[in-house]
Every structure is written in structure tokens, then in C-alpha cells.
Amino acid sequence: MDSSARLFNRERTLHQILGEGFDVMLWRRRNVTVGILFVTLAAWVVFERSGYTLLSLLASVFLLLFVILFLWAKAAAILNRAVNLGQKSYIVTGLEYRPPPPLPNLQLPEEMVNEVAACVRSRVNTLLSVSHDIAMGRDPKLFFKVAASLCVISVIGGCTDFLTLGYTTLVIVLTVPAIYEKYEDHIDRYSIMGYMEFRRLYARLDAECFSKIRKWILEKRKLN
């Protein structure tokens, strides 16, 4: 077997296929990848071990944020008022001007909202069109693919919760491609060898077993 052979007869490497946009997945930006894994692990521990839910954690974080900003703004206003009074009465207070919290004007641009809405509308319409074709039996192959995928998701969902599944999926996405890229030649070589061995085994079973079954079925049909 050619040592340069690759899976699916491709001529490019995994990095060339994915492009530079997937450098994080391939650990080309190691600090970012490690940071994502660390933050995800911390979030999983917080949700899984502390008993927090996503809604309760978000509510607590926003409450703490609003309290800090509110106290910051009020303290800055009181200090600035004291500074102004000291300047008017020519009293040296030793206080300096304190700016309010540096919050930008939080508004969504209309153009961005329209672009997001158009993109979501297009994707939803495509999904609905495909779902309609599947439901009407126009694409049997796609129906069986979707049915098999939903069965797999149902089985996996019954074995674990959504949070653990999401964390496990992220770890797989950020580790398996990098490991494959590092040992690409070895994995491709052994995978192709396994595929060729499987084809030889299938050919032997077909000659010894499956062909006899097909012949027996055809004889039964002729007799009927």
C-alpha cells in the first residue's frame, strides 16, 4: 500500500481542508484552546457540582453586576458633589473627580438586526423545506439518515444530561482533530488497512453465505 495514501483519497491535509479559521480546534493557538477548555471545565463544575442552574447563575451574575454598577455610579455622584461643594466654598477636601461607570450606549444597530433576521429566516426556511420533503417521503435516504441520527441522540441523551454531553462534545472537538493531525499518517495507514481487511472479510462472507441466501431467495420466488 502507498505510504502517502490518505482516507477518502484526499490530496490535502486536515489543516488545508479546514483552513485557518479552525486553528483553535487544531491547537495552532494553544493559549486560546486551553482557555476555552478551562472556562468550559469551570462552567461544568459550577453547574454540575454546585447545584446552580443556568437561569439561577445568570440571575445572580446580573444582580451582582447591576449592584456594583449602581453603587459605583452613586458613589461617584456623591464624591463629585462633595468636590463641587468644596470648590465653591474654597475648602480643600482632598477629593478628586470620580467618573461614572464607563458604560457604552447599549443599542443594537438596525442593519445588524436585519442581517441576523434575514440569515435566521433563510436557515429556518431551508430546515422547514427539508423537513417537509422528509415528511412527504420525497427523500427516503435522508429520512433514514435523520431517523438514525435522532435515535442515536435519543440513546445518548438517555445516558447523560445535556450539560455533560455539551462539555464532552466540546472536549472531543478540541482534541480529536488535533490528535488526528499529529498522527495523520499512522491513522490513515491503519484505517485503510482495516478497511481493506473488512472488504476482504465481506467478500468471503458474501461468497460463502450471502450469495447462497440470495440464491435460495431467488429459487423460492421462482417456485412461487
Side-chain angles (χ1 to χ4, degrees):
M1 185 182 65
D2 186 5
S3 59
S4 63
R6 293 192 174 118
L7 284 175
F8 311 113
N9 294 323
R10 69 184 195 280
E11 298 179 355
R12 297 183 296 171
T13 62
L14 182 63
H15 183 257
Q16 292 173 342
I17 294 173
L18 295 178
E20 295 181 357
F22 291 86
D23 284 347
V24 174
M25 184 187 300
L26 298 176
W27 288 69
R28 300 297 176 96
R29 300 170 63 184
R30 188 179 299 272
N31 294 334
V32 178
T33 307
V34 172
I36 292 174
L37 288 174
F38 179 77
V39 171
T40 307
L41 177 61
W44 180 79
V45 171
V46 168
F47 287 119
E48 192 72 16
R49 301 303 178 187
S50 66
Y52 271 105
T53 61
L54 180 61
L55 184 61
S56 62
L57 181 64
L58 289 177
S60 301
V61 170
F62 279 117
L63 176 61
L64 180 62
L65 180 62
F66 284 133
V67 168
I68 292 174
L69 293 176
F70 178 81
L71 294 177
W72 184 353
K74 288 299 181 182
I78 294 173
L79 291 175
N80 294 335
R81 190 178 303 169
V83 170
N84 293 332
L85 289 176
Q87 290 176 351
K88 290 180 180 179
S89 57
Y90 302 100
I91 298 175
V92 178
T93 60
L95 298 176
E96 298 180 355
Y97 177 77
R98 300 292 181 182
L103 286 178
N105 190 13
L106 302 177
Q107 290 184 351
L108 290 176
E110 184 177 357
E111 296 181 357
M112 185 182 71
V113 174
N114 292 335
E115 290 178 0
V116 172
C119 180
V120 172
R121 175 179 174 274
S122 175
R123 298 298 176 86
V124 170
N125 286 338
T126 302
L127 178 62
L128 292 175
S129 177
V130 172
S131 302
H132 182 267
D133 292 342
I134 294 174
M136 298 301 294
R138 297 174 182 172
D139 196 341
K141 292 183 179 180
L142 184 58
F143 167 77
F144 287 112
K145 290 181 181 179
V146 172
S149 301
L150 293 176
C151 289
V152 171
I153 293 173
S154 177
V155 172
I156 295 175
C159 299
T160 182
D161 59 285
F162 180 76
L163 183 63
T164 304
L165 178 62
Y167 174 71
T168 306
T169 303
L170 181 62
V171 171
I172 292 174
V173 168
L174 292 180
T175 54
V176 172
I179 294 174
Y180 175 74
E181 185 190 29
K182 185 175 182 179
Y183 303 101
E184 185 174 1
D185 294 335
H186 300 285
I187 294 174
D188 286 350
R189 182 169 67 252
Y190 288 115
S191 298
I192 293 174
M193 290 172 59
Y195 175 70
M196 294 175 63
E197 185 65 27
F198 173 77
R199 290 188 62 181
R200 283 197 293 268
L201 178 61
Y202 177 80
R204 185 187 305 171
L205 289 175
D206 183 65
E208 297 178 358
C209 182
F210 297 151
S211 61
K212 295 180 180 179
I213 294 175
R214 286 195 297 267
K215 188 181 298 184
W216 179 77
I217 294 174
L218 291 175
E219 291 178 354
K220 284 290 185 180
R221 287 181 178 178
K222 289 180 180 179
L223 292 176
N224 292 333

